[in-house]
């Protein structure tokens, strides 16, 4: 299987994280920029609190993009008092993670961790799914050898980085008349209608 992977362009890691999560170019820069101006319409020399001039989008923009245009998905915040292992083991609708890490006290960066069924990408422990991290600053995606390694990595990020934010994305329960669950991403123009 060939993994879809967008590398860093300008400071558009949020855009790349979304597209890497859904494994295709679902969103473009202008889509996310338009959402940021819907949230805060005021423009002062193109300043907007929800994205930087170079395109670094905040959590509000990414959440709205997913929930508005990919209606079969839901974005949830991970709270520090929760158990990561329980989310992974007991949520059959879990699709992936968006992780916002602090590179410094003033710079932030979005990465994605996506779940793949183990018949698509193998892992060391014959677990039901394999987790792949997509970091647009890296040369290639990283396949975690086991769930345990992913949990260790994620817990260390949550403890050591400048206020790491963790969002997890789940598939909503769909009715029989809803979109095909195996093909969650529909054409962008269809979503805009």
């Amino acid at each position: 299987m060939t993994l879809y992977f967008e590398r860093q362009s300008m400071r558009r890691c949020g855009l790349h994280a979304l597209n890497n999560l859904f494994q295709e170019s679902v969103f473009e820069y202008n889509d996310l920029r338009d959402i940021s101006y819907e949230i805060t319409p005021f423009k002062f020399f193109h300043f907007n609190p929800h994205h930087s001039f170079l395109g670094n989008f905040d959590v509000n923009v990414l959440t709205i993009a997913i929930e508005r245009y990919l209606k079969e998905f839901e974005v949830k915040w991970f709270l520090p008092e929760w158990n990561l292992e329980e989310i992974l083991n007991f949520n059959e609708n879990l699709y992936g993670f968006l992780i916002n890490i602090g590179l410094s006290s003033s710079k932030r960066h979005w990465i994605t961790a996506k779940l793949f069924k183990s018949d698509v990408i193998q892992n060391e422990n014959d677990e039901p799914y394999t987790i792949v991290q997509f970091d647009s600053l890296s040369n290639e995606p990283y396949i975690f050898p086991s769930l345990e390694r992913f949990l260790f990595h994620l817990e260390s990020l949550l403890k050591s980085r400048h206020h790491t934010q963790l969002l997890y994305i789940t598939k909503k329960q769909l009715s029989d008349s809803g979109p095909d669950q195996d093909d969650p991403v529909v054409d962008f123009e269809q979503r805009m209608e």
Side-chain angles (χ1 to χ4, degrees):
M1 172 185 189
T2 303
L3 296 172
Y4 178 86
F5 180 51
E6 285 186 11
R7 302 251 355 261
Q8 188 79 12
S9 169
M10 302 182 88
R11 293 196 61 206
R12 298 179 180 174
C13 56
L15 171 66
H16 305 312
L18 285 177
N19 289 336
N20 288 334
L21 178 65
F22 295 106
Q23 286 295 282
E24 64 179 284
S25 182
V26 178
F27 296 102
E28 295 179 7
Y29 170 78
N30 290 341
D31 303 323
L32 300 184
R33 187 203 57 211
D34 291 348
I35 291 170
S36 71
Y37 286 127
E38 286 175 28
I39 299 169
T40 305
F42 175 71
K43 293 181 188 179
F44 181 73
F45 294 107
H46 297 283
F47 171 78
N48 184 286
H50 302 288
H51 83 273
S52 70
F53 177 71
L54 295 175
N56 192 13
F57 296 97
D58 75 3
V59 65
N60 300 296
V61 174
L62 274 59
T63 300
I64 290 171
I66 292 171
E67 291 184 343
R68 179 183 296 168
Y69 299 115
L70 303 171
K71 295 184 186 307
E72 57 273 27
F73 290 95
E74 193 170 21
V75 179
K76 300 177 182 180
W77 282 89
F78 174 79
L79 300 177
E81 61 269 15
W82 293 355
N83 183 326
L84 281 169
E85 195 166 359
E86 285 181 20
I87 290 174
L88 286 166
N89 288 332
F90 300 109
N91 192 334
E92 64 187 35
N93 295 320
L94 184 63
Y95 190 79
F97 296 90
L98 289 172
I99 307 159
N100 188 247
I101 58 175
L103 300 177
S104 68
S105 59
S106 62
K107 291 184 180 179
R108 305 200 60 80
H109 180 62
W110 286 103
I111 61 176
T112 295
K114 179 171 173 31
L115 282 71
F116 290 90
K117 291 180 181 174
S118 60
D119 60 345
V120 176
I121 298 177
Q122 296 287 322
N123 59 53
E124 287 180 357
N125 298 334
D126 292 326
E127 295 165 333
Y129 50 84
T130 300
I131 300 175
V132 179
Q133 179 176 289
F134 298 88
D135 180 346
S136 59
L137 292 175
S138 298
N139 290 327
E140 59 187 24
Y142 176 75
I143 300 172
F144 285 94
S146 66
L147 175 62
E148 182 180 348
R149 290 282 299 272
F150 173 69
L151 286 171
F152 177 79
H153 173 69
L154 201 50
E155 287 172 352
S156 66
L157 283 177
L158 289 168
K159 290 177 185 173
S160 67
R161 297 293 180 141
H162 303 276
H163 305 289
T164 296
Q165 298 172 324
L166 176 62
L167 306 172
Y168 63 104
I169 291 74
T170 59
K171 291 182 185 179
K172 292 181 183 177
Q173 293 293 338
L174 300 175
S175 67
D176 291 337
S177 62
D180 181 7
Q181 290 188 25
D182 291 331
D183 187 18
V185 180
V186 295
D187 186 72
F188 191 74
E189 283 75 26
Q190 291 174 335
R191 293 193 315 269
M192 295 298 288
E193 294 175 354

